[in-house]
Amino acid sequence: MPNILMQTEFHVERFIISKMTTRKRSGSGSKRQLKEKVVQIYESFFKGEDLTQNNPTFWDEFFLLKPKVSHLEAEIQKLTNEQLLSLKENINTLFAQCIDALSHEHHIGVVYAMQTLCVLVSAIYRKTSMESGFDVINILVGFDIAEEKMQQLLTYCNEFLTGDMPDSLKALCLKLLLVLVTGTENVSQNTLLEYIMVTSLFESLMQLLCDTSTRQLHGHDVVLLLTLLVNYRKHEAANPYIVKLSILDDELALNGYGQVITSSLTDFCRQYTAQHSEMQNASWLSSLTNMVGNMFISEEGGVRTQQIRANNALLLALYEAIHLNRNFITTLAQTQTDTSAPPSPSNTLNAAHPTPDLSNVPIIDIMAQPSNLLVTFFQYCSIVMQDTKTEASANTVKLCFLILSCIAEDQYANSIMHDVNLTFKVQLHRLPMRHRKLVTERTSPSQPLASTLLDLLVEFIMSHMMKKLPMELYLHCIGVIHRILCYQKRCRVRLNYQWKDLWTALITLLRFLVQNENNLTKKMNIFNLSLHVVNIFNLFITYGDTFLPTPGSYDELYYEIIRMNQVFDNVYSMALRYTTNGGEFKDNAQKLNNSLINVRAIIKHFSPKIEQWLTSQNLSTPTEDQILDVVRKNYDSLTLKLQDSLDQYERYSEKPKHAAFFTNMVRSVVGDTRQHIQFASVDVHVFLQDFSCIS
């Protein structure tokens, strides 16, 4: 059967191409260059000729000719504005005939019609975007028949995606839809999407995600397409894709959606781990320069690899699902078993070097451990959070933090992360830094995911104290910590965590802010960040007895505050200067000093007690246990002020604070997607083979 189909297609095309023309001979040579029939047709068509006048079967024959993508694009791009307008009817006819050909009796005609549509739509979008005053709907379809033809096209798309059709045709159909959706840089200005809002593709896309085989083949494009559709005029008008995604409760579809994201992020983490392990045997300096260079420096000198950039689309998809659909939270901790990565932009971290052979790399295969989307996402965050130096990389990290904020606000997500019976081993990667020894990274012990998340946040705090301080990212980081603590306080959850690591990181941050006050205050409000940090300590001081794992943990909190009293004194002195001298930070400085009242009361109360005890014991350097003993014996005489709203926070809202950020992120994803849509090369034999298998 396949041989018969292929022979039929070959003879049909051979018959149609029988009439060839020759180009003028150049120079004195006698060699003739043949011009294919389809190229002749393109040239005649865009000269305004009516090719059907003497050939009533022209369109049937045309769609049996293999499209020449580059020639068709070139013919459209070289049109002047006047020519484009004068050829509107011809272009409308070509568009309409492409749609009609989707019911062509020859399978190859359907494929070629779909490919021609991809080229035509893409080229017209590109042409009209460069010129003002052109409406893409009118030029491409024509206002009078636009609704009818777009509904017809989308009906065919739904049939192809859900019917018993070859996977190669489904893939080409998804490519066409991505061409339509990414036609304009700002997806909300793409007026053609109004028709996709009316004739829904949502159910067809969900059906592809529910089936394991179609998800593995088409999952990436499906999730990408859905994410872009969700962002169409999301704050301006009713968007049915937002509504349907927010109420989706089909467990198979939700799991499929999550597995697509998990699969791509897992693939990236595997490759990063392999490259990182290869560098472990190098010298410290070599490791530092090569790791940062190879992992993050791209050809254009930006900081963000091709795959991190490509994965932003999946991070955006993860954000939309978590933000819109509470049912999706249940999939975050479900063990993932679908390990086959769907087709997506190359996961190569460094295109100049082949992917390392994982079988020969002596690393702990964290992927062999029980895993889920949260585990994978935390590991992925530990990689991308290492770099914040460019706007692009900082935006990726911000997106990660906004996802973490949504997770940390959700009651069910918190219950999952704090469940002591639900533990995972997660490999968090650390940024090589001059002031700390480069250690061989090991998989963390099996622990609740809340502990892993806190480890991730502590690492971010410790590794980004630089002159160009990423202030917004620090505020998001502290905000996530605050949300976790509020959950623990509210639900009286005692997480068995090394809280001293967090306290040390926060105190180190405060010390950095004080030491770099002169430089930082010229650019940013360090008092607001300091206030948030101090209020984390206030939350521990006021409510720590309800969520710290042991009474000894509460004692250790006081010990750290007393031991590092000089840092808190310096923060107070710094804020006092700005409160006294006035200026733009006066009010923030005053709030900061007010927040320090209990910290300073602890220091003021215990310091003389300790000095008095040391004198009585004739000691100068007490041990930690001795100090802790003094603290325990003097709690009763300590007076603290009850501070309001320590366990309250402003719940996350995308609009208005982050609306512009997401508009730009979606714009970036649209641009990247448009560059990587591949519809130029169609393997006819693959399509015919697929059709014959179904027949």
Side-chain angles (χ1 to χ4, degrees):
M1 184 69 175
N3 290 334
I4 295 173
L5 280 169
M6 292 179 190
Q7 289 171 10
T8 301
E9 193 276 337
F10 172 76
H11 289 305
V12 170
E13 188 162 348
R14 186 178 178 185
F15 170 77
I16 295 172
I17 302 177
S18 59
K19 294 181 179 181
M20 293 289 184
T21 188
T22 60
R23 301 190 185 195
K24 290 184 179 180
R25 286 178 290 178
S26 58
S28 59
S30 61
K31 184 178 180 180
R32 295 182 301 174
Q33 291 182 325
L34 297 178
K35 187 180 291 186
E36 295 184 55
K37 182 67 176 177
V38 72
V39 176
Q40 295 180 55
I41 293 174
Y42 293 158
E43 292 176 350
S44 301
F45 188 84
F46 287 103
K47 288 177 183 175
E49 299 177 15
D50 182 4
L51 302 175
T52 64
Q53 193 169 13
N54 299 316
N55 185 2
T57 62
F58 168 77
W59 289 112
D60 289 333
E61 296 172 358
F62 174 75
F63 288 112
L64 292 176
L65 294 173
K66 185 175 183 179
K68 298 296 178 184
V69 171
S70 59
H71 287 86
L72 181 52
E73 287 178 334
E75 287 296 324
I76 295 174
Q77 293 308 313
K78 71 182 183 183
L79 295 174
T80 64
N81 292 354
E82 293 75 18
Q83 289 172 329
L84 186 66
L85 286 173
S86 66
L87 288 169
K88 186 185 86 68
E89 288 190 13
N90 267 26
I91 295 171
N92 293 168
T93 300
L94 178 57
F95 185 84
Q97 289 294 335
C98 284
I99 295 174
D100 292 342
L102 295 178
S103 60
H104 203 288
E105 60 179 359
H106 289 287
H107 293 142
I108 201 64
V110 176
V111 174
Y112 286 163
M114 187 77 75
Q115 189 181 17
T116 303
L117 272 174
C118 287
V119 186
L120 179 64
V121 174
S122 175
I124 293 296
Y125 265 125
R126 193 178 309 121
K127 185 68 179 175
T128 55
S129 67
M130 295 186 293
E131 309 290 346
S132 58
F134 290 104
D135 190 294
V136 69
I137 297 178
N138 193 35
I139 296 294
L140 187 63
V141 198
F143 286 133
D144 52 339
I145 60 169
E147 186 174 348
E148 174 195 345
K149 284 300 172 186
M150 287 302 298
Q151 182 178 2
Q152 188 181 352
L153 172 61
L154 295 171
T155 300
Y156 278 124
C157 287
N158 276 321
E159 290 175 1
F160 292 156
L161 293 176
T162 60
D164 189 16
M165 294 290 177
D167 285 316
S168 48
L169 183 61
K170 293 180 190 289
L172 189 56
C173 181
L174 289 168
K175 293 289 186 284
L176 171 61
L177 292 170
L178 284 172
V179 169
L180 285 167
V181 173
T182 60
T184 59
E185 284 189 3
N186 186 338
V187 70
S188 294
Q189 294 175 355
N190 191 345
T191 49
L192 266 178
L193 296 196
E194 283 296 330
Y195 300 105
I196 303 181
M197 295 296 117
V198 175
T199 305
S200 179
L201 299 165
F202 186 86
E203 291 74 15
S204 300
L205 298 178
M206 290 304 102
Q207 184 173 321
L208 291 173
L209 290 180
C210 287
D211 182 78
T212 302
S213 60
T214 56
R215 178 174 64 247
Q216 290 174 355
L217 289 169
H218 312 298
H220 182 275
D221 284 351
V222 168
V223 170
L224 173 58
L225 180 61
L226 181 60
T227 302
L228 294 175
L229 289 171
V230 163
N231 279 278
Y232 175 70
R233 302 186 66 190
K234 68 191 304 186
H235 300 301
E236 304 166 29
N239 181 326
Y241 291 87
I242 293 178
V243 175
K244 290 181 179 182
L245 180 59
S246 65
I247 62 175
L248 181 67
D249 59 0
D250 185 329
E251 189 174 347
L252 280 176
L254 291 171
N255 284 339
Y257 188 105
Q259 285 171 355
V260 169
I261 299 169
T262 304
S263 189
S264 278
L265 299 189
T266 297
D267 196 34
F268 178 85
C269 291
R270 282 183 184 276
Q271 294 187 39
Y272 179 93
T273 302
Q275 281 196 5
H276 182 84
S277 297
E278 285 188 337
M279 297 170 186
Q280 289 298 320
N281 295 327
S283 67
W284 179 86
L285 181 60
S286 175
S287 294
L288 177 62
T289 55
N290 287 340
M291 192 177 309
V292 176
N294 290 342
M295 297 309 301
F296 293 108
I297 302 301
S298 63
E299 290 181 2
E300 64 270 15
V303 197
R304 197 160 114 181
T305 66
Q306 177 186 356
Q307 183 55 19
I308 289 178
R309 191 178 177 97
N311 280 337
N312 278 347
L314 296 174
L315 289 184
L316 198 59
L318 176 59
Y319 164 80
E320 296 295 356
I322 291 174
H323 181 227
L324 294 174
N325 191 313
R326 291 213 63 233
N327 297 317
F328 185 75
I329 296 293
T330 62
T331 72
L332 290 176
Q334 290 191 3
T335 300
Q336 302 292 321
T337 57
D338 187 9
T339 56
S340 299
S344 62
S346 173
N347 278 321
T348 305
L349 293 171
N350 189 333
H353 298 89
T355 303
D357 182 1
L358 288 176
S359 63
N360 296 325
V361 179
I363 58 174
I364 299 171
D365 187 5
I366 185 65
M367 304 309 171
Q369 304 287 338
S371 184
N372 58 37
L373 181 49
L374 271 182
V375 169
T376 304
F377 178 58
F378 288 171
Q379 185 182 6
Y380 186 79
C381 285
S382 74
I383 298 172
V384 299
M385 284 183 179
Q386 293 180 23
D387 174 58
T388 60
K389 290 184 175 63
T390 67
E391 182 180 0
S393 57
N395 283 341
T396 299
V397 178
K398 177 179 176 178
L399 180 54
C400 289
F401 273 126
L402 293 181
I403 295 170
L404 291 174
S405 297
C406 292
I407 292 172
E409 283 188 9
D410 188 87
Q411 180 82 6
Y412 185 72
N414 266 305
S415 67
I416 291 171
M417 293 193 297
H418 287 83
D419 189 342
V420 294
N421 296 313
L422 201 62
T423 60
F424 295 89
K425 294 183 177 182
V426 186
Q427 187 171 12
L428 297 181
H429 300 272
R430 304 177 72 201
L431 179 66
M433 300 174 67
R434 291 186 180 89
H435 67 265
R436 69 182 181 190
K437 184 178 180 182
L438 186 66
V439 295
T440 302
E441 290 177 318
R442 296 185 301 271
T443 305
S444 67
S446 190
Q447 60 183 9
L449 288 173
S451 297
T452 301
L453 176 53
L454 287 168
D455 287 341
L456 175 68
L457 300 172
V458 166
E459 171 61 19
F460 180 86
I461 293 172
M462 293 298 293
S463 60
H464 290 82
M465 287 176 266
M466 56 189 77
K467 289 184 178 179
K468 191 178 178 181
L469 190 75
M471 174 61 74
E472 184 183 13
L473 300 182
Y474 265 104
L475 287 170
H476 285 305
C477 179
I478 301 300
V480 176
I481 294 171
H482 186 211
R483 285 160 172 76
I484 295 170
L485 295 177
C486 288
Y487 168 81
Q488 293 176 4
K489 179 261 176 184
R490 183 172 64 251
C491 298
R492 294 182 174 269
V493 175
R494 298 186 184 275
L495 183 67
N496 188 21
Y497 182 70
Q498 295 295 323
W499 292 107
K500 183 179 177 181
D501 292 345
L502 174 61
W503 301 330
T504 300
L506 295 174
I507 292 172
T508 304
L509 176 58
L510 287 176
R511 182 166 55 197
F512 173 83
L513 295 175
V514 171
Q515 290 174 343
N516 293 272
E517 167 206 344
N518 291 333
N519 175 56
L520 293 174
T521 51
K522 296 174 184 176
K523 310 169 187 174
M524 59 192 72
N525 183 357
I526 63 173
F527 302 97
N528 186 41
L529 176 58
S530 300
L531 173 63
H532 283 82
V533 172
V534 171
N535 277 338
I536 295 292
F537 281 102
N538 285 329
L539 191 56
F540 277 107
I541 292 168
T542 308
Y543 302 112
D545 59 323
T546 66
F547 63 83
L548 285 171
T550 64
S553 301
Y554 196 73
D555 301 336
E556 290 171 4
L557 167 68
Y558 276 59
Y559 173 80
E560 288 301 315
I561 292 173
I562 297 165
R563 186 174 70 88
M564 304 303 292
N565 66 86
Q566 191 61 54
V567 173
F568 293 103
D569 288 343
N570 291 341
V571 171
Y572 181 82
S573 299
M574 176 183 72
L576 187 61
R577 288 200 313 276
Y578 285 82
T579 302
T580 306
N581 299 336
E584 61 176 314
F585 300 128
K586 179 179 179 179
D587 291 341
N588 291 109
Q590 184 63 59
K591 290 179 182 177
L592 174 57
N593 269 357
N594 291 341
S595 72
L596 283 164
I597 185 169
N598 281 343
V599 172
R600 299 188 74 235
I602 291 170
I603 295 169
K604 187 175 181 180
H605 175 76
F606 286 104
S607 293
K609 304 285 186 185
I610 293 170
E611 288 296 330
Q612 184 180 352
W613 183 85
L614 288 174
T615 302
S616 68
Q617 299 296 315
N618 198 23
L619 292 173
S620 58
T621 54
T623 65
E624 180 177 342
D625 288 338
Q626 289 170 332
I627 298 293
L628 288 172
D629 189 55
V630 175
V631 168
R632 292 187 193 99
K633 291 178 179 177
N634 289 277
Y635 276 133
D636 292 344
S637 54
L638 173 64
T639 302
L640 297 176
K641 181 180 179 181
L642 184 63
Q643 294 177 300
D644 297 330
S645 304
L646 291 176
D647 58 343
Q648 303 296 315
Y649 54 83
E650 181 182 355
R651 288 193 64 83
Y652 173 78
S653 175
E654 180 179 317
K655 188 182 179 183
K657 193 177 293 185
H658 303 294
F661 167 77
F662 280 103
T663 297
N664 289 331
M665 285 299 296
V666 173
R667 189 190 301 265
S668 174
V669 169
V670 165
D672 291 342
T673 303
R674 191 160 44 187
Q675 287 182 3
H676 291 97
I677 299 176
Q678 297 293 333
F679 52 77
S681 58
V682 168
D683 191 330
V684 176
H685 298 293
V686 170
F687 278 93
L688 293 175
Q689 182 70 42
D690 287 349
F691 273 114
S692 67
C693 291
I694 291 177
S695 300

